[in-house]
Amino acid sequence: MQLDDLYRRVIMDHYKNPRNHGTLEADAVTIKLNNPTCGDSIALQLQVDNGLVTDAKFSGEGCSISLSSASMMTEVVKGKTFDQALELADKFSSLMKGEPVEFEGYEDIEALSGVNKFPARIKCATLSWNALRKGIEQQQE
Amino acid sequence: MNIAAIREQFPILHQEINGHPLVYLDSAASSQKPRSVIDAINRYYEKDHSNVHRGVHTLGSRATDAYEGAREKVASFLNAALPEEIIFTRGTTTALNLVASSYARNVCKPGDEIVITQMEHHSNLIPWQQVARATGATLKYIPLQPDGSFTLADAELTITANTKVVAMTYVSNVLGLVNPVKEVAAIAHRNGAVMVVDGAQSTPHMRVDVRDLDCDFYAFSGHKMCGPTGIGALYGKKALLSKMEPIEFGGEMIDYVDLYESTWKDIPYRFEGGTPIIANAVGLGAAIDFLQEIGMDEIDKHQRQLAAYAYDRLSELEGVTIYGPKADRAGLVTFNLGDVHPHDVATVLDTEGIAVRAGHHCCQPLMRFLNVSSTARASFYVYNTEQEVDQLIAGLLKTKEFFGHAIG
């Protein structure tokens, strides 16, 4: 197990300079999730319009893996349809299982592939993606 | 105390994790098991196993003797007056829930009070929230000082004539604090309340005397004290247990069954429905033998020395915050390393073969009191050494360097 597999430079960059950190207008869809094993929490906000995610922001606290993952997720999900976003969430699950997955046009996420070698940390990486899935599924109901 | 000889008895310690010798510093979560405990469980299954209290055959007698022998060992270990004051449970959580469900729910009513502290771990907090919800009683907290301790003066003010139950941990699994439960028990009794002690973290490490503490109930888990998982016990004073109704029905707790009415056995059996946790009770008995052979006072001294050493070494590290008081600390140190998230700390340490806990330690209200979402914790036991503390410090230096470099 090599630390550099987990903490790639791009992850550290997102951790130190999270994109889309903050809050959206009050009418945005808000999903709050906790990681009950460690007390980390995320509040994900999605601006949605006619089956489209037009904007996304997140707040909360967590480790480098959960915060960088949230930062990347909010970047890639903007402008995607609900179905495209759910497809991305599925792709991310595959990445966490160690399957070779490409995120064309947004390769930053692939830096998180190393989390697969640290099973205890998968929950950190998937927290924001679970929030995304939950938010969209709520909208689709 | 010959640590090398003690370590020799723990098979699990002799392995490499991620290319480094294992340094196990998470015994407050669960301790490792000596060969004698593993052998006792195996021997029981290979030679003596049968159900207890039923068979008239030889194995039935052997299993019953082994199970009841373990109860006697626990009673003597805690200095309980009688073996029947020991009820085997799955662990601390089930034991505390038994007191909450069988005693407190039937005693509390609106206007009554249950007094706890904000340092309780979830198992000694949520059952009381639930009792308060179900009965209309009020849940009250003894206020904490900035270091997490409380004063007896505040305990006096919080516990009143309306208090029916005072529940408190003996040793905090986050702060390493040893609470004055004997003094609090005296305050509880002056006000007509019962004293419940959560012994999850004290029982593995120090001499416990339930009669000297004069607590009414005392709960602990076997797996934190070299015993198997899935076994623990509730101690209760005979007069109280005898008045309590069972909460699980069937199996060994039955006395006489009619179509519409049934009667229960006496304590402790009335609280041990179904087939009991026989093999694990035998394993717990073996764990008690193992600990007593070393001596509880020796174990207490050793882990306090390690905690004091770790506290000093950690204090030398720039950017480290240590939680809980410095003096009179039980065998664990909870800390944070600058802005590095405890999960990241634990992962870096893991790559060096060092196991520590990172998270809220099942103490979310205490984390809020400390104003953190989580912390890292190194906890020590009879098999740990100062050299392992040094390895921890080296691992933390590496963590600092790695995150300083990677972030900066």
Side-chain angles (χ1 to χ4, degrees):
Chain A
M1 249 168 31
Q2 288 295 318
L3 276 182
D4 293 338
D5 290 344
L6 181 63
Y7 298 112
R8 306 271 288 274
R9 189 157 293 272
V10 59
I11 294 174
M12 285 305 162
D13 179 51
H14 278 271
Y15 178 44
K16 198 186 165 199
N17 310 299
R19 332 295 199 249
N20 304 308
H21 192 263
T23 50
L24 292 173
E25 300 299 316
D27 68 335
V29 181
T30 304
I31 312 99
K32 288 185 180 165
L33 277 191
N34 298 316
N35 185 345
T37 58
C38 62
D40 287 355
S41 62
I42 185 172
L44 173 68
Q45 286 198 298
L46 301 172
Q47 201 72 53
V48 296
D49 180 22
N50 202 15
L52 204 70
V53 180
T54 55
D55 202 358
K57 279 194 190 295
F58 76 99
S59 57
E61 44 191 327
C63 60
S64 58
I65 300 301
S66 77
L67 293 185
S68 63
S69 180
S71 167
M72 295 174 192
M73 185 277 291
T74 50
E75 282 221 287
V76 75
V77 82
K78 276 199 240 182
K80 299 286 192 294
T81 65
F82 288 173
D83 286 345
Q84 285 171 330
L86 290 176
E87 210 174 296
L88 281 167
D90 288 343
K91 260 186 157 180
F92 191 77
S93 299
S94 303
L95 189 74
M96 289 299 107
K97 288 179 195 140
E99 294 164 15
V101 190
E102 286 182 11
F103 288 79
E104 287 146 40
Y106 195 77
E107 286 78 12
D108 278 15
I109 297 182
E110 291 162 26
L112 284 166
S113 62
V115 177
N116 168 251
K117 292 183 197 149
F118 296 79
R121 304 300 298 277
I122 292 176
K123 271 193 260 181
C124 311
T126 49
L127 185 64
S128 58
W129 291 88
N130 290 341
L132 173 70
R133 205 186 278 279
K134 197 173 166 195
I136 290 176
E137 281 166 1
Q138 274 172 11
Q139 292 300 300
Q140 284 180 330
E141 271 165 20
Chain B
M1 206 166 130
N2 183 345
I3 305 292
I6 288 170
R7 287 181 67 82
E8 210 40 58
Q9 298 177 56
F10 286 79
I12 206 169
L13 296 179
H14 306 283
Q15 63 175 310
E16 290 200 340
I17 299 288
N18 299 317
H20 300 271
L22 167 64
V23 175
Y24 187 75
L25 302 180
D26 195 18
S27 294
S30 195
S31 74
Q32 300 302 349
K33 319 303 171 200
R35 175 58 72 195
S36 63
V37 169
I38 300 166
D39 287 349
I41 297 167
N42 284 339
R43 199 168 48 240
Y44 169 78
Y45 276 128
E46 285 173 5
K47 304 254 186 227
D48 302 330
H49 174 66
S50 145
N51 214 324
V52 291
H53 297 302
R54 292 169 207 181
V56 289
H57 49 71
T58 303
L59 291 187
S61 312
R62 280 196 209 158
T64 304
D65 289 349
Y67 183 64
E68 293 306 322
R71 194 189 310 277
E72 283 168 21
K73 280 181 190 174
V74 173
S76 142
F77 188 62
L78 300 180
N79 197 30
L82 303 158
E84 58 259 42
E85 292 179 319
I86 302 300
I87 295 156
F88 282 123
T89 68
R90 274 177 50 218
T92 307
T93 303
T94 353
L96 291 168
N97 274 278
L98 175 59
V99 180
S101 300
S102 175
Y103 180 80
R105 280 199 192 219
N106 294 315
V107 165
C108 292
K109 52 186 192 312
D112 287 343
E113 298 162 353
I114 300 162
V115 173
I116 63 173
T117 78
Q118 203 174 332
M119 81 180 86
E120 303 311 318
H121 86 300
H122 297 161
S123 298
N124 196 31
L125 195 154
I126 301 159
W128 307 115
Q129 281 181 353
Q130 293 296 102
V131 172
R133 263 176 66 173
T135 64
T138 307
L139 186 59
K140 285 169 77 180
Y141 286 84
I142 301 172
L144 300 185
Q145 301 298 304
D147 68 358
S149 65
F150 64 84
T151 67
L152 285 174
D154 278 335
E156 290 270 8
L157 286 173
T158 315
I159 299 165
T160 73
N162 294 326
T163 306
K164 291 287 186 288
V165 175
V166 179
M168 180 179 292
T169 188
Y170 199 165
V171 170
S172 162
N173 67 327
V174 171
L175 304 168
L177 194 76
V178 184
N179 281 321
V181 290
K182 181 178 178 176
E183 288 75 7
V184 176
I187 300 170
H189 291 152
R190 274 206 301 282
N191 286 278
V194 299
M195 180 73 186
V196 183
V197 176
D198 170 357
Q201 298 295 341
S202 48
T203 322
H205 293 290
M206 54 206 246
R207 187 184 291 278
V208 171
D209 184 333
V210 290
R211 275 188 281 177
D212 177 56
L213 295 175
D214 197 22
C215 57
D216 299 284
F217 298 101
Y218 184 97
F220 73 94
S221 299
H223 71 96
K224 293 183 201 284
M225 49 186 280
C226 296
T229 59
I231 186 80
L234 174 70
Y235 157 83
K237 284 182 182 167
K238 186 179 180 183
L240 286 165
L241 290 177
S242 301
K243 282 191 293 188
M244 285 159 51
E245 282 290 305
I247 54 172
E248 279 191 339
F249 302 89
E252 202 49 52
M253 51 82 62
I254 294 298
D255 174 32
Y256 180 78
V257 176
D258 210 338
L259 283 178
Y260 299 102
E261 291 287 334
S262 299
T263 57
W264 328 131
K265 280 200 177 133
D266 285 337
I267 59 164
Y269 308 111
R270 74 164 67 165
F271 298 107
E272 295 179 358
T275 294
I277 317 159
I278 311 165
N280 291 8
V282 171
L284 176 59
I288 288 173
D289 290 342
F290 172 82
L291 295 174
Q292 284 188 323
E293 201 162 305
I294 300 167
M296 292 313 291
D297 292 339
E298 282 294 305
I299 294 170
D300 192 11
K301 200 172 105 194
H302 174 66
Q303 49 103 18
R304 278 170 189 267
Q305 276 170 358
L306 281 179
Y309 180 66
Y311 192 103
D312 288 344
R313 294 291 323 265
L314 277 166
S315 307
E316 294 162 8
L317 278 184
E318 204 186 321
V320 167
T321 310
I322 307 175
Y323 302 96
K326 181 175 182 184
D328 197 26
R329 165 175 287 274
L332 58 93
V333 184
T334 299
F335 60 94
N336 265 318
L337 185 62
D339 291 335
V340 186
H341 192 282
H343 261 176
D344 294 318
V345 173
T347 291
V348 179
L349 292 176
D350 185 43
T351 61
E352 299 284 300
I354 304 165
V356 300
R357 186 63 169 269
H360 52 55
H361 316 290
C362 297
C363 284
Q364 292 183 31
L366 180 59
M367 293 295 114
R368 282 192 275 282
F369 174 83
L370 297 172
N371 209 16
V372 291
S373 66
S374 59
T375 58
R377 177 186 71 188
S379 55
F380 310 107
Y381 207 19
V382 60
Y383 36 70
N384 291 121
T385 64
E386 285 198 354
Q387 188 208 333
E388 289 179 307
V389 176
D390 293 340
Q391 284 169 274
L392 168 71
I393 299 297
L396 290 173
L397 282 169
K398 186 178 173 186
T399 313
K400 278 182 69 165
E401 190 186 349
F402 186 83
F403 272 82
H405 173 71
I407 297 172

